[in-house]
Amino acid sequence: MAILEVRNIEKHFGPTRVLEDISFSLEEGQALAIIGSSGSGKTTLLRCLNFLETPDQGTISVQGNVIFDAADPATQRESEIRKKRLHFGLVFQNFNLFPQYTALQNVTLALHLRDKGGKDREAIDRRGLELLGQMGLSDRAGHYPHQLSGGQQQRVAIARALALQPDVLCFDEPTSALDPELTGEVLKVIRGLAQQHTTMIIVTHEMAFARDVANQVIFMDGGVIVEQGPAQQVIGDPRMERTRQFLSRYAEN
Amino acid sequence: MLAFFSSPVTQTVLGALNEGFLRTLELFCITLIGALPLGLVIALGSMSRFAPLKFLRRAGQGRFLDKLLGFRPISLLCRLLVWVVRGTPLVLQIIILFYVPGMERLFSWPSGGKGRMLAVCIAFVLNYACYFSEIYRGGIQGVAVGQQEAGLVLGMTKSQIFFKVTLLQMIKRIVPPISNEVITLVKDTSLARVIALQEVIWMGESFMKGNRGISGLVWPLFFTAVYYLIFSGVVTILLSRLEKKLEYFR
């Protein structure tokens, strides 16, 4: 059974239609890359999955349970949305670390807040350090975000998202705000996660990376899915003319 | 010089000025204690998205209907209050608050200095809360939306996000403009003399007309400046320390 099943998602901002009839599914342990030009709806799709936007139509199911149904207001209750969000983790383009907390505190804040009474205080901190270690940041645990490079900040953000053990980890252009020199370290970390079979959805402009790391690729344009399939095929040998145009323009740059 | 300060007249004057200054301090502290939190309430109120007529959305579309849908009574009320309070002089607010209840037989303030202090405190708290609320509003809206979204995605509640994420960032932003207002407040306390609250300026002036058997003295009034200078100096130092303290993050 697919861990994530998205059916017929549609989203409007006022009169503009940003997403139209978006359907796809994702198996556990697989990585899905979403590619496409700016404004094609990739980010909005991720935000819908994380309940930062509410789709106007469609359903989202996780492990066979419908967690969102646009036609059923009962699935949209504020208190439940907060719990359902935890199925997904989101790594933002511009990190959005909390500036007043250290790297470790950023990773553990949400866990500490859920740990009523503070019974697991030490275990949570140990887990936080472990995650930072996994990101190659053991020696940066006590640093504040402004003392870290962009690549380091993004890796802290990845550790923060992983701390809540989401079913699906989403990346919204994780390297777009970074210097070319710093993208490598972040991509390496994501690559490592893919090797450990973390279920991921990655919105990215790094085509070579998408081809290597993702199992599936979705190409979006104008709010619709133009083409989806195995990564090697969609990026290496696209069927649709629109995909080919997009990829060749990419190759030129 | 020493003879001047040890003379009985000077001693009496300084005693009276100290007494007046204590009243100034009292007003200053009460205003801050009351206005800082009340300002936050007004700020949150003016940002309130509570729109009781939103259910009319189902009725269809239209310009007039859109106006009704967007009717936010709490926000409107708060913004109206801020407009009136910031749009009229504080002196006038003190006078109205002190005299009108008695004139209209609504209620009467406790007699003597107590009633004056109470009325003045209420006027100051309300006035400064409105100014603070606008500073808070700017501070809250200035914190990037991404911070809230990051909190939401991590499964935090709205109040956790406010208290654990947004609040400190907001405080860091608002310390400089709030400092400005606090320094202004140091001096604004003197407006209370308009209803004869015996604060330090009132005391200084009283020795021209006659007080405690002394009259015709001008220097006590000028001397009150020393109190204000020392006081605002101390406040400035304290506030810049707070600013320094928050410099550990950006």
Side-chain angles (χ1 to χ4, degrees):
Chain A
M1 183 178 44
I3 193 164
L4 173 67
E5 179 92 45
V6 173
R7 281 232 185 100
N8 312 108
I9 289 288
E10 196 163 319
K11 173 74 189 170
H12 299 254
F13 288 134
T16 11
R17 184 184 286 170
V18 233
L19 293 176
E20 189 184 344
D21 199 22
I22 301 287
S23 300
F24 66 89
S25 64
L26 184 62
E27 298 294 325
E28 181 151 18
Q30 302 248 299
L32 166 73
I34 304 178
I35 58 173
S37 46
S38 308
S40 60
K42 312 179 298 282
T43 296
T44 308
L45 177 57
L46 277 197
R47 291 172 61 85
C48 285
L49 293 179
N50 285 277
F51 293 91
L52 292 176
E53 306 284 355
T54 313
D56 300 323
Q57 269 177 51
T59 62
I60 300 170
S61 313
V62 171
Q63 281 163 335
N65 303 316
V66 178
I67 62 164
F68 175 85
D69 184 350
D72 181 5
T75 63
Q76 296 169 40
R77 265 186 232 115
E78 184 73 30
S79 56
E80 280 166 48
I81 282 182
R82 202 162 61 77
K83 281 182 212 128
K84 291 176 189 169
R85 273 201 179 102
L86 295 174
H87 289 296
F88 299 92
L90 179 59
V91 174
F92 297 87
Q93 183 175 345
N94 41 12
F95 334 134
N96 289 339
L97 291 181
F98 306 130
Q100 72 267 43
Y101 293 116
T102 62
L104 179 62
Q105 288 168 333
N106 263 282
V107 175
T108 56
L109 178 65
L111 290 176
H112 281 309
L113 287 176
R114 285 201 295 165
D115 173 32
K116 300 264 150 58
K119 313 182 279 297
D120 304 325
R121 186 169 285 273
E122 282 160 30
I124 290 171
D125 283 341
R126 241 178 292 129
R127 170 102 182 105
L129 282 170
E130 198 180 294
L131 282 165
L132 284 175
Q134 217 180 5
M135 299 294 126
L137 292 169
S138 295
D139 54 338
R140 294 285 185 273
H143 286 57
Y144 288 95
H146 77 270
Q147 299 167 321
L148 300 171
S149 74
Q152 290 169 336
Q153 288 187 50
Q154 190 60 300
R155 284 185 281 153
V156 174
I158 294 172
R160 180 174 71 174
L162 282 171
L164 290 151
Q165 296 176 300
D167 295 320
V168 181
L169 184 54
C170 303
F171 293 86
D172 183 14
E173 302 190 25
T175 58
S176 294
L178 299 175
D179 292 339
E181 285 177 1
L182 299 174
T183 57
E185 62 186 65
V186 171
L187 295 183
K188 200 175 121 201
V189 163
I190 302 174
R191 214 175 285 246
L193 290 174
Q195 273 157 13
Q196 294 167 37
H197 300 292
T198 312
T199 316
M200 297 188 285
I201 300 178
I202 310 162
V203 168
T204 184
H205 289 303
E206 305 276 339
M207 294 308 146
F209 172 73
R211 191 189 52 212
D212 296 349
V213 169
N215 307 95
Q216 298 282 313
V217 167
I218 286 177
F219 169 64
M220 285 180 70
D221 189 40
V224 296
I225 294 181
V226 175
E227 184 164 357
Q228 60 179 313
Q232 302 287 346
Q233 182 246 302
V234 175
I235 294 178
D237 178 26
R239 303 250 158 86
M240 307 298 283
E241 181 56 32
R242 183 70 192 87
T243 319
R244 232 171 275 153
Q245 275 176 5
F246 172 77
L247 288 170
S248 67
R249 215 176 326 126
Y250 244 90
E252 278 167 32
N253 298 337
Chain B
M1 189 72 174
L2 202 68
F4 170 77
F5 274 107
S6 54
S7 83
V9 169
T10 310
Q11 287 296 321
T12 310
V13 169
L14 287 181
L17 289 183
N18 286 342
E19 193 190 313
F21 184 65
L22 277 181
R23 225 159 265 135
T24 298
L25 261 184
E26 192 185 343
L27 175 56
F28 175 83
C29 294
I30 291 175
T31 303
L32 281 189
I33 292 168
L36 284 171
L38 182 62
L40 187 58
V41 173
I42 297 174
L44 293 176
S46 67
M47 288 188 296
S48 156
R49 307 221 133 265
F50 173 66
L53 299 178
K54 218 157 60 183
F55 69 92
L56 288 173
R57 192 170 38 185
R58 277 174 235 146
Q61 281 178 332
R63 246 174 140 192
F64 179 67
L65 198 66
D66 282 348
K67 284 251 162 68
L68 282 182
L69 294 181
F71 175 62
R72 298 184 292 148
I74 295 179
S75 166
L76 193 70
L77 212 68
C78 289
R79 282 178 296 157
L80 202 70
L81 177 73
V82 171
W83 173 57
V84 170
V85 169
R86 292 204 309 174
T88 55
L90 176 53
V91 176
L92 199 58
Q93 291 162 18
I94 297 169
I95 293 171
I96 290 173
L97 207 68
F98 184 63
Y99 292 110
V100 169
M103 280 161 55
E104 295 296 319
R105 300 185 198 290
L106 300 169
F107 61 89
S108 53
W109 298 104
S111 60
K114 227 182 186 175
R116 292 174 200 282
M117 183 54 108
L118 189 62
V120 161
C121 281
I122 292 173
F124 268 79
V125 166
L126 199 62
N127 184 279
Y128 271 80
C130 285
Y131 280 95
F132 289 155
S133 81
E134 286 297 287
I135 296 175
Y136 287 144
R137 202 162 62 88
I140 293 173
Q141 288 171 344
V143 175
V145 204
Q147 291 289 310
Q148 278 196 43
E149 292 185 345
L152 286 176
V153 168
L154 293 169
M156 295 188 200
T157 62
K158 288 231 165 91
S159 77
Q160 284 174 338
I161 293 172
F162 180 73
F163 287 107
K164 298 286 175 179
V165 176
T166 320
L167 186 63
L168 195 63
Q169 295 181 45
M170 171 192 121
I171 290 174
K172 184 184 168 72
R173 275 163 190 277
I174 63 173
V175 166
I178 290 276
S179 301
N180 247 334
E181 289 297 322
V182 173
I183 299 289
T184 307
L185 173 61
V186 170
K187 296 159 293 166
D188 267 5
T189 51
S190 61
L191 293 175
R193 69 174 291 289
V194 76
I195 58 160
L197 183 88
Q198 300 180 5
E199 45 70 63
V200 68
I201 295 247
W202 188 94
M203 282 292 186
E205 211 180 354
S206 70
F207 291 103
M208 296 202 286
K209 295 173 248 168
N211 184 8
R212 303 180 193 201
I214 302 163
S215 65
L217 278 188
V218 181
W219 71 262
L221 178 60
F222 297 161
F223 191 74
T224 57
V226 175
Y227 285 85
Y228 286 107
L229 280 174
I230 293 173
F231 186 25
S232 61
V234 171
V235 170
T236 306
I237 289 169
L238 288 178
L239 287 170
S240 67
R241 266 203 201 158
L242 177 62
E243 223 176 308
K244 276 254 160 61
K245 257 213 162 124
L246 290 170
E247 260 170 24
Y248 77 93
F249 72 89
R250 251 176 243 157

